[in-house]
Amino acid sequence: MSSTGRICASCGELRPKTAYTKKQWEKARQFSRCARCVHGGGGNAAAGPAGPGARAGFASPSSPAVVPADASRQNLAVEAYFTDSALIRPFEDGSTMEVARGIYTAGPRTGQPCVCKWVKEGAFDPEQYSDEEILEGCLRCSREALRIVNLFNQEGIAAGMPIIVSMPERWTIAEHPLFPEEVGGVKCLVEPFIEDFKKFNNNRGGVFQTGGRRARWSALLQALSHFSYHVTSGQLVLCDLQGGINDEVFVLADPAVVSRVEGVWGVTDMGPKGIRGFFRSHTCNEYCRSHWTRPGR
Protein backbone atom coordinates (compact mmCIF):
# COMPACT_ATOMS: atom_id res chain seq x y z
CA MET A 1 0.00 0.00 0.00
CA SER A 2 1.23 3.50 -0.74
CA SER A 3 2.80 5.49 2.11
CA THR A 4 0.25 8.23 1.41
CA GLY A 5 -2.52 6.33 3.17
CA ARG A 6 -3.47 3.26 5.18
CA ILE A 7 -6.48 1.55 6.76
CA CYS A 8 -7.22 2.71 10.32
CA ALA A 9 -7.13 -0.16 12.84
CA SER A 10 -10.26 1.18 14.59
CA CYS A 11 -12.73 2.30 11.92
CA GLY A 12 -11.40 0.24 9.00
CA GLU A 13 -11.40 3.22 6.65
CA LEU A 14 -8.64 4.06 4.18
CA ARG A 15 -7.32 7.38 5.50
CA PRO A 16 -4.51 9.66 4.18
CA LYS A 17 -1.29 10.18 6.13
CA THR A 18 -2.51 13.63 7.17
CA ALA A 19 -5.37 11.96 9.10
CA TYR A 20 -2.87 10.39 11.55
CA THR A 21 -0.76 11.90 14.29
CA LYS A 22 2.98 11.37 13.96
CA LYS A 23 2.91 8.87 16.83
CA GLN A 24 0.11 6.81 15.30
CA TRP A 25 1.63 6.87 11.81
CA GLU A 26 4.90 5.49 13.15
CA LYS A 27 3.13 2.46 14.63
CA ALA A 28 2.80 -0.81 12.72
CA ARG A 29 -0.02 -0.66 10.16
CA GLN A 30 -2.20 -3.12 12.05
CA PHE A 31 -2.11 -0.91 15.17
CA SER A 32 -2.20 2.69 13.89
CA ARG A 33 -5.43 4.65 14.41
CA CYS A 34 -6.54 7.83 12.68
CA ALA A 35 -6.89 11.05 14.70
CA ARG A 36 -10.68 10.94 14.46
CA CYS A 37 -10.77 7.56 16.19
CA VAL A 38 -8.15 8.52 18.78
CA HIS A 39 -9.87 11.74 19.79
CA GLY A 40 -13.47 11.25 18.67
CA GLY A 41 -14.65 8.50 21.07
CA GLY A 42 -15.92 8.73 24.61
CA GLY A 43 -19.22 10.38 25.49
CA ASN A 44 -21.17 10.72 28.69
CA ALA A 45 -23.13 7.48 28.61
CA ALA A 46 -23.20 5.44 31.82
CA ALA A 47 -21.00 2.40 32.24
CA GLY A 48 -22.25 -0.97 31.02
CA PRO A 49 -24.90 -2.78 33.05
CA ALA A 50 -23.87 -5.35 35.64
CA GLY A 51 -24.95 -8.95 35.64
CA PRO A 52 -25.06 -11.68 32.99
CA GLY A 53 -24.90 -10.57 29.40
CA ALA A 54 -23.47 -11.26 25.96
CA ARG A 55 -20.61 -9.63 24.19
CA ALA A 56 -21.13 -9.19 20.48
CA GLY A 57 -18.02 -9.42 18.33
CA PHE A 58 -17.10 -9.30 14.67
CA ALA A 59 -18.48 -12.23 12.73
CA SER A 60 -15.16 -12.63 10.94
CA PRO A 61 -11.64 -11.24 11.32
CA SER A 62 -11.75 -9.50 7.95
CA SER A 63 -11.67 -5.70 7.94
CA PRO A 64 -14.94 -3.78 7.46
CA ALA A 65 -15.62 -2.53 3.95
CA VAL A 66 -13.85 0.71 3.13
CA VAL A 67 -16.56 3.33 2.55
CA PRO A 68 -16.55 7.13 2.13
CA ALA A 69 -16.38 8.72 5.55
CA ASP A 70 -17.88 12.15 5.02
CA ALA A 71 -21.53 11.14 5.53
CA SER A 72 -21.12 7.90 7.48
CA ARG A 73 -21.69 7.15 11.15
CA GLN A 74 -19.54 4.16 12.08
CA ASN A 75 -19.51 1.79 15.04
CA LEU A 76 -15.92 2.67 15.95
CA ALA A 77 -16.03 -0.28 18.34
CA VAL A 78 -15.06 -3.94 18.40
CA GLU A 79 -17.18 -5.20 21.28
CA ALA A 80 -20.56 -4.51 22.89
CA TYR A 81 -22.48 -5.74 25.93
CA PHE A 82 -26.14 -6.80 26.01
CA THR A 83 -27.92 -8.15 29.05
CA ASP A 84 -29.68 -11.49 28.80
CA SER A 85 -33.05 -9.77 29.25
CA ALA A 86 -32.28 -7.31 26.42
CA LEU A 87 -31.67 -10.18 24.01
CA ILE A 88 -34.52 -12.42 25.17
CA ARG A 89 -37.01 -9.53 25.34
CA PRO A 90 -35.99 -7.06 22.58
CA PHE A 91 -37.22 -3.48 22.93
CA GLU A 92 -38.38 -3.61 19.31
CA ASP A 93 -40.08 -6.74 18.01
CA GLY A 94 -41.03 -6.07 14.41
CA SER A 95 -42.45 -8.32 11.74
CA THR A 96 -39.02 -9.15 10.29
CA MET A 97 -36.31 -8.00 12.72
CA GLU A 98 -35.79 -7.91 16.47
CA VAL A 99 -33.73 -5.16 18.09
CA ALA A 100 -31.90 -5.11 21.43
CA ARG A 101 -30.19 -2.16 23.08
CA GLY A 102 -26.75 -2.50 24.61
CA ILE A 103 -23.56 -0.57 25.21
CA TYR A 104 -20.15 -0.49 23.51
CA THR A 105 -17.38 -1.88 25.69
CA ALA A 106 -14.27 -1.62 23.49
CA GLY A 107 -13.17 0.99 20.96
CA PRO A 108 -13.55 4.77 20.63
CA ARG A 109 -17.31 4.61 21.34
CA THR A 110 -16.85 2.77 24.64
CA GLY A 111 -19.68 3.68 27.02
CA GLN A 112 -22.06 4.82 24.28
CA PRO A 113 -25.36 3.02 23.56
CA CYS A 114 -25.77 0.74 20.57
CA VAL A 115 -28.27 -1.69 19.10
CA CYS A 116 -28.03 -5.13 17.58
CA LYS A 117 -30.62 -6.37 15.10
CA TRP A 118 -31.24 -9.91 13.97
CA VAL A 119 -33.72 -11.65 11.67
CA LYS A 120 -36.83 -12.77 13.51
CA GLU A 121 -37.33 -16.51 13.51
CA GLY A 122 -39.99 -17.52 11.02
CA ALA A 123 -40.15 -14.12 9.34
CA PHE A 124 -38.96 -15.51 6.01
CA ASP A 125 -39.02 -18.84 4.24
CA PRO A 126 -35.48 -20.22 4.76
CA GLU A 127 -35.68 -21.94 1.38
CA GLN A 128 -35.99 -18.53 -0.25
CA TYR A 129 -33.81 -16.32 1.95
CA SER A 130 -31.18 -17.23 4.49
CA ASP A 131 -30.52 -14.93 7.44
CA GLU A 132 -27.11 -14.14 5.93
CA GLU A 133 -28.73 -13.06 2.65
CA ILE A 134 -31.18 -10.82 4.48
CA LEU A 135 -28.44 -9.15 6.53
CA GLU A 136 -26.26 -8.72 3.45
CA GLY A 137 -29.20 -7.03 1.71
CA CYS A 138 -29.43 -4.56 4.60
CA LEU A 139 -25.70 -3.81 4.35
CA ARG A 140 -25.89 -3.29 0.58
CA CYS A 141 -28.80 -0.86 0.98
CA SER A 142 -26.85 1.12 3.59
CA ARG A 143 -23.81 1.33 1.34
CA GLU A 144 -25.92 2.55 -1.60
CA ALA A 145 -27.67 5.04 0.69
CA LEU A 146 -24.28 6.40 1.75
CA ARG A 147 -23.23 6.86 -1.88
CA ILE A 148 -26.44 8.72 -2.73
CA VAL A 149 -26.46 10.82 0.46
CA ASN A 150 -22.88 11.92 -0.21
CA LEU A 151 -23.99 13.19 -3.63
CA PHE A 152 -27.11 14.79 -2.16
CA ASN A 153 -25.13 16.66 0.51
CA GLN A 154 -22.65 17.86 -2.12
CA GLU A 155 -25.52 19.46 -4.06
CA GLY A 156 -25.98 21.92 -1.17
CA ILE A 157 -29.75 21.63 -1.43
CA ALA A 158 -30.42 22.44 2.23
CA ALA A 159 -27.66 24.46 3.87
CA GLY A 160 -27.21 23.57 7.51
CA MET A 161 -29.26 20.36 7.24
CA PRO A 162 -26.75 17.57 6.63
CA ILE A 163 -27.80 13.93 6.45
CA ILE A 164 -25.51 11.14 7.58
CA VAL A 165 -25.97 7.37 7.28
CA SER A 166 -25.62 4.91 10.13
CA MET A 167 -23.43 2.09 8.79
CA PRO A 168 -24.13 -1.24 10.51
CA GLU A 169 -21.62 -4.06 10.68
CA ARG A 170 -22.20 -7.81 10.81
CA TRP A 171 -21.35 -9.15 14.28
CA THR A 172 -22.10 -12.36 16.17
CA ILE A 173 -23.91 -12.69 19.50
CA ALA A 174 -21.69 -14.77 21.76
CA GLU A 175 -22.87 -18.09 23.18
CA HIS A 176 -24.15 -17.81 26.77
CA PRO A 177 -25.66 -20.47 29.06
CA LEU A 178 -28.55 -18.19 30.05
CA PHE A 179 -29.63 -17.56 26.47
CA PRO A 180 -32.02 -19.72 24.48
CA GLU A 181 -30.24 -21.71 21.80
CA GLU A 182 -31.71 -19.49 19.08
CA VAL A 183 -29.98 -16.36 20.50
CA GLY A 184 -26.40 -17.48 21.12
CA GLY A 185 -24.28 -17.50 17.98
CA VAL A 186 -26.83 -15.55 15.96
CA LYS A 187 -25.48 -13.22 13.30
CA CYS A 188 -26.68 -9.65 13.78
CA LEU A 189 -26.13 -6.08 12.67
CA VAL A 190 -24.68 -3.64 15.21
CA GLU A 191 -24.74 0.15 14.98
CA PRO A 192 -24.93 3.20 17.28
CA PHE A 193 -28.25 3.85 19.01
CA ILE A 194 -30.40 6.66 17.53
CA GLU A 195 -32.54 8.83 19.78
CA ASP A 196 -36.05 9.98 18.81
CA PHE A 197 -36.37 7.45 15.97
CA LYS A 198 -39.02 8.29 13.34
CA LYS A 199 -40.07 6.84 9.97
CA PHE A 200 -40.75 9.33 7.14
CA ASN A 201 -41.60 7.07 4.19
CA ASN A 202 -41.64 3.36 3.37
CA ASN A 203 -40.89 1.05 0.45
CA ARG A 204 -44.52 0.82 -0.70
CA GLY A 205 -45.12 4.50 -1.41
CA GLY A 206 -46.30 5.51 2.04
CA VAL A 207 -45.34 9.01 3.20
CA PHE A 208 -45.68 9.88 6.87
CA GLN A 209 -46.33 13.57 7.44
CA THR A 210 -45.09 15.24 10.59
CA GLY A 211 -45.21 18.70 12.10
CA GLY A 212 -43.01 20.93 14.19
CA ARG A 213 -39.28 20.90 13.65
CA ARG A 214 -39.54 17.53 11.92
CA ALA A 215 -41.62 19.01 9.06
CA ARG A 216 -38.64 20.46 7.18
CA TRP A 217 -36.67 17.25 7.65
CA SER A 218 -39.63 15.28 6.32
CA ALA A 219 -39.70 17.45 3.19
CA LEU A 220 -35.93 17.10 2.75
CA LEU A 221 -36.08 13.32 3.03
CA GLN A 222 -38.87 13.07 0.46
CA ALA A 223 -36.64 15.15 -1.82
CA LEU A 224 -33.77 12.73 -1.13
CA SER A 225 -35.91 9.85 -2.38
CA HIS A 226 -36.76 11.84 -5.54
CA PHE A 227 -33.07 12.78 -5.99
CA SER A 228 -32.05 9.11 -5.78
CA TYR A 229 -34.21 8.31 -8.80
CA HIS A 230 -32.76 11.24 -10.74
CA VAL A 231 -29.11 10.63 -9.90
CA THR A 232 -29.34 6.92 -10.83
CA SER A 233 -31.04 7.69 -14.17
CA GLY A 234 -34.27 6.09 -13.01
CA GLN A 235 -32.73 2.81 -11.88
CA LEU A 236 -33.92 2.95 -8.25
CA VAL A 237 -35.47 4.91 -5.40
CA LEU A 238 -33.91 5.16 -1.95
CA CYS A 239 -36.80 4.87 0.47
CA ASP A 240 -37.99 3.53 3.83
CA LEU A 241 -36.23 6.62 5.19
CA GLN A 242 -36.10 6.66 8.97
CA GLY A 243 -33.84 7.79 11.76
CA GLY A 244 -33.43 10.64 14.21
CA ILE A 245 -32.32 14.26 14.45
CA ASN A 246 -29.14 14.75 16.45
CA ASP A 247 -27.78 18.30 16.86
CA GLU A 248 -29.38 19.46 13.59
CA VAL A 249 -28.00 16.47 11.72
CA PHE A 250 -30.31 13.73 10.49
CA VAL A 251 -29.01 10.20 11.11
CA LEU A 252 -30.50 7.85 8.52
CA ALA A 253 -30.77 4.13 9.36
CA ASP A 254 -32.18 0.95 7.84
CA PRO A 255 -33.05 2.37 4.40
CA ALA A 256 -34.44 0.27 1.58
CA VAL A 257 -33.85 0.41 -2.16
CA VAL A 258 -36.57 -0.33 -4.71
CA SER A 259 -35.37 -0.89 -8.25
CA ARG A 260 -36.47 -1.80 -11.75
CA VAL A 261 -36.08 -5.50 -10.94
CA GLU A 262 -37.77 -6.73 -7.78
CA GLY A 263 -35.46 -8.33 -5.23
CA VAL A 264 -32.14 -7.11 -6.63
CA TRP A 265 -31.58 -5.09 -3.42
CA GLY A 266 -32.86 -7.76 -1.06
CA VAL A 267 -36.18 -8.70 0.47
CA THR A 268 -37.29 -5.06 0.86
CA ASP A 269 -36.86 -4.30 -2.86
CA MET A 270 -40.47 -4.08 -4.11
CA GLY A 271 -39.34 -3.51 -7.70
CA PRO A 272 -41.19 -1.23 -10.17
CA LYS A 273 -44.32 -1.13 -8.02
CA GLY A 274 -42.24 0.38 -5.22
CA ILE A 275 -40.97 3.09 -7.58
CA ARG A 276 -44.48 3.78 -8.87
CA GLY A 277 -45.78 3.84 -5.31
CA PHE A 278 -43.32 6.53 -4.26
CA PHE A 279 -44.10 8.83 -7.17
CA ARG A 280 -47.85 8.36 -6.80
CA SER A 281 -47.63 9.83 -3.31
CA HIS A 282 -44.74 12.25 -3.84
CA THR A 283 -45.43 15.94 -4.29
CA CYS A 284 -42.35 17.97 -5.11
CA ASN A 285 -41.43 20.48 -2.41
CA GLU A 286 -38.99 23.36 -1.95
CA TYR A 287 -36.02 20.97 -1.86
CA CYS A 288 -36.78 19.21 -5.14
CA ARG A 289 -35.39 20.60 -8.37
CA SER A 290 -37.43 21.09 -11.53
CA HIS A 291 -34.93 19.23 -13.71
CA TRP A 292 -34.98 16.07 -11.63
CA THR A 293 -36.23 13.03 -13.50
CA ARG A 294 -39.62 11.45 -12.86
CA PRO A 295 -41.05 8.25 -14.40
CA GLY A 296 -42.40 8.93 -17.87
CA ARG A 297 -40.53 12.18 -18.19
Side-chain angles (χ1 to χ4, degrees):
M1 184 181 295
S2 168
S3 62
T4 59
R6 67 175 54 165
I7 294 175
C8 170
S10 286
C11 63
E13 295 172 10
L14 180 62
R15 308 282 286 164
K17 183 176 180 179
T18 54
Y20 296 81
T21 64
K22 184 174 183 293
K23 181 178 179 180
Q24 288 292 324
W25 185 259
E26 290 174 349
K27 289 184 177 183
R29 291 183 182 274
Q30 64 268 35
F31 299 118
S32 60
R33 301 163 59 209
C34 69
R36 186 182 67 178
C37 289
V38 172
H39 301 295
N44 298 317
R55 294 182 180 276
F58 286 114
S60 70
S62 59
S63 298
V66 176
V67 294
D70 51 322
S72 66
R73 188 188 193 210
Q74 307 282 347
N75 272 299
L76 303 184
V78 294
E79 190 177 67
Y81 177 91
F82 301 87
T83 65
D84 55 316
S85 61
L87 292 171
I88 296 171
R89 294 183 291 277
F91 80 90
E92 184 175 317
D93 186 1
S95 59
T96 60
M97 302 284 280
E98 295 182 304
V99 185
R101 180 172 174 171
I103 195 165
Y104 291 117
T105 55
R109 286 196 188 274
T110 295
Q112 296 182 13
C114 63
V115 295
C116 70
K117 311 172 185 180
W118 64 94
V119 180
K120 187 174 184 178
E121 185 177 10
F124 300 97
D125 182 351
E127 293 186 0
Q128 288 187 304
Y129 299 102
S130 68
D131 289 1
E132 284 288 335
E133 289 174 323
I134 294 168
L135 296 181
E136 179 57 31
C138 294
L139 294 173
R140 289 181 63 226
C141 287
S142 293
R143 289 193 290 266
E144 180 66 2
L146 178 60
R147 186 184 74 83
I148 292 170
V149 166
N150 278 331
L151 295 172
F152 187 73
N153 287 338
Q154 290 167 15
E155 289 287 313
I157 291 168
M161 295 176 66
I163 300 171
I164 63 175
V165 183
S166 183
M167 301 299 293
E169 295 170 346
R170 188 189 287 107
W171 290 21
T172 302
I173 300 174
E175 301 281 352
H176 194 285
L178 290 181
F179 297 156
E181 183 178 338
E182 63 268 21
V183 175
V186 166
K187 298 294 188 296
C188 63
L189 299 179
V190 175
E191 60 190 285
F193 178 76
I194 298 174
E195 298 280 357
D196 196 25
F197 201 89
K198 173 76 175 177
K199 183 185 283 283
F200 292 86
N201 66 25
N202 64 22
N203 61 341
R204 297 176 182 270
V207 175
F208 308 106
Q209 301 297 336
T210 184
R213 75 186 189 114
R214 284 178 172 165
R216 61 193 182 114
W217 286 105
S218 177
L220 184 64
L221 291 168
Q222 309 314 327
L224 171 60
S225 289
H226 186 175
F227 174 80
S228 68
Y229 184 82
H230 170 74
V231 80
T232 62
S233 301
Q235 295 298 311
L236 57 83
V237 169
L238 180 66
C239 56
D240 210 12
L241 302 186
Q242 55 198 325
I245 304 165
N246 182 4
D247 293 330
E248 293 306 306
V249 174
F250 187 84
V251 184
L252 176 66
D254 296 330
V257 172
V258 294
S259 67
R260 288 185 173 182
V261 181
E262 184 174 348
V264 167
W265 290 90
V267 296
T268 56
D269 183 354
M270 306 302 294
K273 62 179 176 286
I275 295 176
R276 291 194 298 269
F278 170 75
F279 281 102
R280 271 198 302 268
S281 59
H282 176 63
T283 301
C284 284
N285 57 55
E286 66 267 33
Y287 300 114
C288 296
R289 298 294 182 261
S290 59
H291 67 279
W292 286 357
T293 308
R294 294 180 67 104
R297 191 176 77 180

